[in-house]
Amino acid sequence: MSSFTIQEQFNNYLDILNKIHIIDHDIDASINEVEINDLAARRTDYKHRLQHVTKSLINSLNEMGKKYPVQNNLANQTTYIYAEGDKLMFEYH
């Protein structure tokens, strides 16, 4: 199990997801091929980090075996997260 709380892991998940989203917008707005390649490499790095964070979060949730409420800052509401097999699931309330 991770040394971070589930809320901390979820916050990290959202932060990385947001960074990937911003890079996608930057790529769409770029016209310089070198800049696009640099942004694509950064996006790939963030996607790998996101996979690691997601796996850690799923492992923590599987150990708990239940839905866990987290504050979802992107949705501005409480979201229940849980693991279903190897997938991270969301339930909004």
Side-chain angles (χ1 to χ4, degrees):
M1 188 161 169
S2 175
S3 60
F4 296 103
T5 67
I6 289 179
Q7 182 67 58
E8 290 169 330
Q9 291 178 69
F10 185 71
N11 290 347
N12 193 20
Y13 172 87
L14 290 180
D15 182 53
I16 294 170
L17 195 61
N18 189 46
K19 287 177 182 176
I20 292 170
H21 181 74
I22 290 169
I23 288 174
D24 285 341
H25 281 287
D26 290 346
I27 288 172
D28 290 342
S30 296
I31 56 171
N32 179 329
E33 187 174 335
V34 173
E35 183 180 356
I36 290 171
N37 290 337
D38 179 55
L39 290 168
R42 286 181 30 214
R43 179 179 58 189
T44 299
D45 180 53
Y46 280 127
K47 284 186 175 184
H48 289 302
R49 288 173 53 189
L50 183 64
Q51 288 173 343
H52 177 73
V53 168
T54 302
K55 183 176 177 165
S56 176
L57 186 55
I58 289 169
N59 289 339
S60 295
L61 290 166
N62 276 330
E63 286 183 22
M64 289 187 61
K66 62 178 184 172
K67 294 178 183 177
Y68 190 88
V70 290
Q71 178 58 38
N72 184 339
N73 296 325
L74 290 179
N76 247 358
Q77 65 184 15
T78 298
T79 300
Y80 286 83
I81 58 174
Y82 59 98
E84 197 170 272
D86 62 349
K87 294 182 181 178
L88 184 59
M89 306 299 288
F90 303 89
E91 189 175 288
Y92 301 98
H93 289 270

